[in-house]
């Protein structure tokens, strides 16, 4: 996967409530679904004179001005820094061929793919700060999708969401109950998600994670996933 594949897969598998093309900008209305569905992005040909229009468009839908800075956006990054925008949440993208993960499926009882999310999955997400606004993002996905319920020691241990965009699958909202962490539940959900994605036609499995989350990144790298791109946000 390329960085451009990652951006397109994020867009398809974690979609904004509404997209508006405004001059050189794509304005996203997130409705509480997080930065990925609320940040504006720039097309080629933007100028600093266009920035106030982007800020006004975000403020018009009740959002703070927020921009996603992707590969090739160095000039925009510098322009926003000069206007007082600070860097927020640098992100690293990981991907690998789906078969690298599905080749070692977890125990049958370790993770269950299903849709729509069971009540216990919604509860696990809520306890982790993933509320109904983010579940609404998942519900908006048009392509194949599933959520995963993890189990450890005969107890619900975590939840995750996987969706497809063509040959690319992406994992989102992976959460493990604090009392049951470091027991293999995250790995089991990732591998079960990859098995489901492969059966649904995916060739690649991917995810994005905040760069500062060292334990999660170590897990993904131990599973054979590789860095394929980066982005960050600029918040006024």
């Amino acid at each position: 996967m390329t960085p451009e594949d990652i951006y397109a897969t994020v867009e398809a598998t974690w979609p904004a409530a509404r997209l508006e093309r405004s001059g050189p900008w794509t304005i996203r209305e997130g409705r509480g679904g997080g930065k990925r569905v609320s940040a504006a992005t720039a097309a080629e040909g933007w100028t600093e004179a266009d920035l106030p229009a982007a800020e006004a468009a975000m403020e018009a839908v009740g959002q703070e001005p927020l921009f996603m800075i992707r590969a090739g956006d160095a000039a925009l990054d510098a322009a926003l820094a000069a206007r007082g925008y600070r860097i927020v949440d640098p992100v690293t993208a990981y991907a690998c061929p789906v078969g690298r993960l599905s080749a070692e499926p977890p125990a049958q009882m370790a993770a269950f793919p299903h849709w729509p999310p069971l009540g216990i999955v919604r509860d696990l997400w809520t306890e982790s700060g993933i509320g109904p606004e983010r579940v609404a993002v998942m519900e908006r996905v048009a392509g194949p999708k599933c959520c995963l319920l993890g189990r450890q020691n005969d107890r619900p241990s975590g939840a995750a969401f996987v969706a497809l965009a063509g040959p690319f699958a992406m994992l989102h909202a992976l959460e493990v109950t604090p009392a049951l962490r470091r027991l293999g539940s995250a790995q089991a959900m990732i591998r079960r998600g990859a098995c489901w994605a492969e059966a649904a036609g995916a060739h690649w499995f991917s995810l994005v994670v905040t760069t500062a989350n060292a334990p999660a990144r170590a897990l993904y790298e131990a599973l054979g996933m590789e860095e394929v791109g980066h982005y960050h946000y600029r918040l006024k």
Side-chain angles (χ1 to χ4, degrees), residues 152-221:
Q152 186 72 41
N153 299 340
D154 292 324
R155 295 170 57 191
S157 60
F161 175 71
V162 180
L164 264 66
F168 306 117
M170 184 166 277
L171 176 83
H172 301 272
L174 174 64
E175 296 290 343
V176 177
T177 301
L180 295 173
R181 288 177 181 168
R182 302 186 184 281
L183 297 175
S185 194
Q187 180 178 155
M189 285 189 284
I190 292 168
R191 290 194 183 279
R192 180 63 68 206
C195 292
W196 173 87
E198 187 174 45
H203 298 162
W204 290 85
F205 195 84
S206 63
L207 55 86
V208 294
V209 60
T210 52
T211 303
N213 191 341
R217 294 181 62 194
L219 169 63
Y220 306 144
E221 291 167 7

Side-chain angles (χ1 to χ4, degrees), residues 11 16 18-30 34-43 46 50-59 61 63-70 73 76-77 80 85 231-236:
E11 191 84 70
R18 188 173 67 90
L19 290 177
E20 177 187 345
R21 311 292 179 180
S22 178
W25 309 108
T26 297
I27 306 298
R28 294 171 179 82
E29 185 178 350
K35 294 183 183 67
R36 294 180 210 169
V37 290
S38 305
T41 49
W46 71 274
D50 297 315
L51 284 168
E55 293 169 336
M58 285 182 271
E59 290 167 350
V61 294
Q63 297 177 177
E64 291 183 291
L66 176 73
F67 293 82
M68 179 187 286
I69 305 300
R70 305 168 297 184
D73 284 341
L76 176 60
D77 199 31
L80 291 170
Y85 282 74
Y231 63 85
H232 62 269
Y233 300 96
R234 284 276 184 182
L235 178 66
K236 194 169 187 179

